[in-house]
Amino acid sequence: MRGPLWRLLWDSKRDAVFDISLVIGLHLTGRLLGYLYEPETPLDAYAWIGGVWASQVLNGLMDLLLVARRRFPVVLLSAAAALAAAQALLIEFGPGPLLQNNLETDPWGPGVTPFAVYAAVVYASGPRAKRVWVWALIGVLALVAFRPWTLPGTDPIVAAAIWTVLPAILGLYIGARRKLMNALQERAERAEREQRLLAEQARAEERARLAVEMHDVVTHRVSLMVLQAGALGVASTDPAVRQAAEELRGSGAEALAELRDLVGVLRRGEDERQPGRGDGPPEQVPDLGELIAQSEAIGVPVEFTAEGEPDLVTPAVARTAYRVVQEALTNVHKHAAGASVRVSAVYSDDRVRLTVRNTAPRGPAELAGSGAGVGLRGLRQRVELVGGTFRAGPTDGGGFEVDAILPGYVPTEEAADA
């Protein structure tokens, strides 16, 4: 069974404490009144059902049933109406009362009648037939309490009104107030949801604007750089210049490819990052061996482990995975001199997980102030942009860990399609 047992009857611990305290208080109050006031009805009048103890048992059972007034108000009301009707019939046509009364003018019904009426009006919900049944039971209780066939005096009428009519009116007021409060709360929640949707729409429009600006400005400039580098490589006769121009052209072409992926993701939005047909040919995560070799070449020992088969992923994911490891190792070079590094790559069917953990630094961080201080923040944004999760923070022993989980598929859009 899910959840604690008290959840079967109450929504909160406060309701449970209140109802249990109410039951105990009513039971003790009834016993106290029985001791303080001598009943006008002779005790032998109850002998046909086992004496006054039977009446006390019935009242005790009704007190226990009162704890279920929030979950089962109709059951409580039905039991109260049945006992009230039996009380009236047995007094008028039978051997005597079923329940003990202290005074002759007391309403003929169990002591929990006001609470049963109130709970049924407030908590009973459902089809119209159920509501009609509730008011019919309340009518039975009111009829027995007023006893119009006996033409009682003023005191019994006032007691009967307090016993049945007043709880019903109070229940109607509390029920209407609750409906109003629920409606206001629902309206506030709906307004909050609409506000979030408007904010998301504004972010989507801003993303689209940024994508257009990146395409119109950055892509144009980088394309000119690539073309000029290619022209320089063709026109120059110096091998060193031609090699430098080719490297520049290659770097520019790679930057254009990454920019194309980022622009595509910006224009797609969050809701379209679902598995399907990509806009470009899938590829494997770039070989991380080059990054490992570069770190080891400058004296940073790196342990690399890979689990699973590197399945094909979309270009945006492949380049993001490469950048995660690259930025993490760069931070180790800057901030963790003399530390050892462990790089882990786990490939599964639908995601790639990369973890870079370094030990505590063993020397001064001479390059700590050389960066702009936004590397991890930018890396987080890049990972979240393709629908992944990113976590970075210190570890036990003074080390640091970068952990990124990337989806296997992220649709992109060719910049040339814009």
Side-chain angles (χ1 to χ4, degrees):
M1 182 179 297
R2 296 181 179 178
L5 292 177
W6 61 267
R7 285 287 187 184
L8 296 176
L9 298 178
W10 301 283
D11 293 328
S12 65
K13 291 184 178 180
R14 183 182 63 179
D15 294 341
V17 172
F18 178 84
D19 287 350
I20 294 175
S21 302
L22 177 64
V23 170
I24 296 175
L26 287 177
H27 185 73
L28 295 178
T29 301
R31 297 296 296 271
L32 180 61
L33 291 176
Y35 286 119
L36 294 178
Y37 298 96
E38 188 72 21
E40 296 180 0
T41 303
L43 295 180
D44 57 1
Y46 307 93
W48 69 278
I49 57 171
V52 71
W53 292 103
S55 174
Q56 293 179 355
V57 169
L58 289 175
N59 279 310
L61 292 176
M62 291 300 298
D63 290 342
L64 291 178
L65 190 58
L66 189 61
V67 300
R69 67 189 184 94
R70 300 177 190 270
R71 284 286 190 267
F72 308 102
V74 180
V75 175
L76 175 63
L77 184 66
S78 300
L83 288 178
Q87 175 88 335
L89 292 174
L90 290 173
I91 290 176
E92 296 295 334
F93 306 104
L98 177 64
L99 301 175
Q100 180 183 5
N101 293 326
N102 289 325
L103 302 174
E104 291 291 344
T105 57
D106 286 346
W108 293 350
V112 300
T113 298
F115 302 96
V117 172
Y118 172 84
V121 174
V122 174
Y123 300 112
S125 60
R128 182 178 180 182
K130 186 176 180 180
R131 303 291 297 179
V132 172
W133 173 249
V134 167
W135 285 106
L137 293 175
I138 294 176
V140 171
L141 288 169
L143 181 65
V144 173
F146 280 99
R147 307 195 294 275
W149 60 86
T150 62
L151 298 177
T154 304
D155 291 342
I157 293 179
V158 173
I162 296 175
W163 209 249
T164 57
V165 178
L166 183 60
I169 295 176
L170 182 61
L172 289 174
Y173 168 74
I174 296 299
R177 185 174 181 274
R178 287 192 175 191
K179 290 181 180 179
L180 177 61
M181 296 300 294
N182 291 336
L184 293 176
Q185 183 178 1
E186 182 180 357
R187 180 182 298 180
E189 292 175 353
R190 184 168 61 250
E192 185 178 355
R193 289 194 299 269
E194 293 175 354
Q195 187 67 25
R196 287 199 301 266
L197 291 176
L198 291 175
E200 292 177 1
Q201 182 179 0
R203 285 195 297 267
E205 293 175 353
E206 181 65 15
R207 287 158 61 93
R209 187 190 67 81
L210 288 175
V212 172
E213 185 174 349
M214 289 173 64
H215 174 265
D216 293 342
V217 179
V218 181
T219 304
H220 175 69
R221 296 295 183 184
V222 176
S223 299
L224 290 179
M225 293 171 55
V226 172
L227 293 176
Q228 291 172 355
L232 178 61
V234 172
S236 177
T237 57
D238 188 349
V241 174
R242 297 183 63 178
Q243 180 179 358
E246 180 62 24
E247 293 177 355
L248 179 61
R249 189 196 65 80
S251 298
E254 183 179 353
L256 281 175
E258 294 185 9
L259 184 61
R260 179 191 64 228
D261 293 338
L262 291 177
V263 169
V265 172
L266 282 173
R267 298 179 65 180
R268 291 280 182 167
E270 293 286 343
D271 296 336
E272 299 185 15
R273 295 172 190 161
Q274 302 295 334
R277 183 178 64 85
D279 296 313
E283 60 185 49
Q284 288 188 348
V285 175
D287 185 14
L288 303 178
E290 179 182 355
L291 295 176
I292 305 298
Q294 291 175 357
S295 295
E296 292 180 340
I298 61 174
V300 179
V302 180
E303 177 186 355
F304 177 67
T305 59
E307 299 179 13
E309 295 295 331
D311 296 328
L312 296 180
V313 295
T314 49
V317 174
R319 292 188 176 90
T320 302
Y322 188 84
R323 293 293 179 240
V324 167
V325 179
Q326 184 182 50
E327 180 65 25
L329 291 177
T330 300
N331 285 337
V332 173
H333 302 160
K334 292 181 179 180
H335 305 283
S340 59
V341 186
R342 186 177 184 274
V343 179
S344 173
V346 180
Y347 305 97
S348 59
D349 295 337
D350 58 348
R351 66 179 186 175
V352 179
R353 181 169 187 173
L354 300 166
T355 304
V356 181
R357 173 181 292 187
N358 63 271
T359 60
R362 299 180 180 178
E366 299 179 355
L367 300 177
S370 61
V374 296
L376 290 178
R377 185 173 61 185
L379 194 59
R380 178 187 300 275
Q381 294 174 351
R382 179 161 186 163
V383 170
E384 293 177 350
L385 192 62
V386 298
T389 59
F390 181 85
R391 182 182 61 83
T395 61
D396 296 337
F400 198 84
E401 182 182 66
V402 173
D403 186 23
I405 301 177
L406 305 174
Y409 175 85
V410 176
T412 57
E413 181 173 329
E414 295 290 338
D417 294 338

